[in-house]
Amino acid sequence: MATRDEIIAYTDNLLEIESFSDYGPNGLQVPGASEVASVITGVSAQAELFEQAAATGAGLVLCHHGLFWDFHPRTIGTAMKARLRLLFDADISLAGYHLPLDAHPDVGNNALICSELGLQRAERFAEHKGRPIGFVGRSAAGIPFAELRARCAAAFGREPFVWDSGPEQVHSVGIVSGGGASYFSEAVAAGLDAFITGEPAEHVMADARENGVHFVAGGHYATEVFGIRRLGELVAERFGVEHRFVDVPNPI
């Protein structure tokens, strides 16, 4: 058993949430019970995740995509009311960590993807409002692109969307999980061999072909399971609470 506030103070500090300008609030979003014996982690705050958390008696949900975003209405609609009711009725706290969890050098999505793909984590990459959120992964020996593609399929649990436009041997890869297609131009400018993100964008076909850089989209959801799951593991190790990652797959 641990207190909610102890856990949140730890995760806030670990991820340095105050140093990021994000699209929504990071940290505690909905307060529930003050004591926590069980923590659930998941990628996105949604009813199915909360239902599973309530069914297991969890006191805290940690997620990558929280409930509140700058691009959402400020009024509470029917779906949001239902989500909040699930949390309120079960007295569950909710905390969300977005860009800070993409960017972290140890528990972040992009650093962990480097490790999953067998790449050496190198320089920071993809700056957002003064803070880089991605990494360049490097291989001195080089990896055949067909092998890199197979590693992506294994890591993300699905066949990635690919524009196979770069060199046969890949030595450098820009990595930005989730909706990072807008950073593809930085990969081109940096002279990287490949770029990995979650979602594609219309412009990347021509950009990849004409600049000779591989583009790989492994899925927004699939590229962002790593950080939140690892964060839950760290919380369990540090505070002696139970932890379970809840997989609610999204094809996007």
Side-chain angles (χ1 to χ4, degrees):
M1 185 76 73
T3 71
R4 176 201 63 219
D5 292 345
E6 286 176 328
I7 295 173
I8 296 301
Y10 167 71
T11 51
D12 285 359
N13 182 65
L14 174 69
L15 299 174
E16 301 178 336
I17 65 171
E18 297 300 329
S19 66
F20 286 85
S21 178
D22 212 330
Y23 304 103
N26 287 290
L28 186 67
Q29 296 187 355
V30 178
S34 60
E35 299 289 326
V36 175
S38 176
V39 175
I40 291 292
T41 56
V43 175
S44 298
Q46 55 182 291
E48 185 174 347
L49 178 64
F50 301 160
E51 288 166 353
Q52 294 201 43
T56 63
L60 173 63
V61 172
L62 301 175
C63 62
H64 181 50
H65 301 135
L67 282 176
F68 307 110
W69 299 95
D70 294 344
F71 49 80
H72 279 173
R74 294 189 178 184
T75 55
I76 295 177
T78 302
M80 181 64 78
K81 177 183 176 181
R83 291 173 177 177
L84 290 170
R85 186 187 296 276
L86 287 166
L87 295 173
F88 293 165
D89 287 352
D91 205 16
I92 297 172
S93 299
L94 172 72
Y97 297 100
H98 186 230
L99 294 183
L101 192 56
D102 289 320
H104 196 275
D106 297 314
V107 302
N109 288 313
N110 299 312
L112 292 173
I113 289 172
C114 281
S115 297
E116 287 284 330
L117 299 180
L119 298 167
Q120 182 67 40
R121 192 187 76 212
E123 66 266 32
R124 301 306 307 248
F125 174 73
E127 186 173 298
H128 173 81
K129 295 185 177 180
R131 282 296 302 258
I133 58 174
F135 283 97
V136 173
R138 295 191 178 273
S139 170
I143 303 170
F145 181 69
E147 171 63 20
L148 180 63
R149 182 173 183 165
R151 292 184 191 182
C152 287
F156 305 140
R158 64 175 72 182
E159 195 62 36
F161 176 90
V162 170
W163 286 112
D164 182 358
S165 303
E168 183 176 341
Q169 288 287 118
V170 174
H171 294 269
S172 55
V173 184
I175 300 174
V176 186
S177 66
S182 61
Y183 295 104
F184 185 51
S185 60
E186 291 191 31
V188 172
L192 304 182
D193 296 329
F195 177 80
I196 296 172
T197 188
E199 298 180 40
E202 190 277 338
H203 64 87
V204 300
M205 180 187 75
D207 291 348
R209 285 177 173 175
E210 294 168 20
N211 288 287
V213 179
H214 299 295
F215 179 92
V216 179
H220 194 134
Y221 176 92
T223 58
E224 296 195 322
V225 301
F226 306 97
I228 196 65
R229 182 168 56 203
R230 182 60 184 138
L231 185 64
E233 292 168 353
L234 286 180
V235 167
E237 292 166 7
R238 184 177 182 89
F239 294 98
V241 296
E242 295 182 1
H243 165 249
R244 183 164 72 93
F245 173 76
V246 173
D247 193 21
V248 185
N250 186 329
I252 302 301

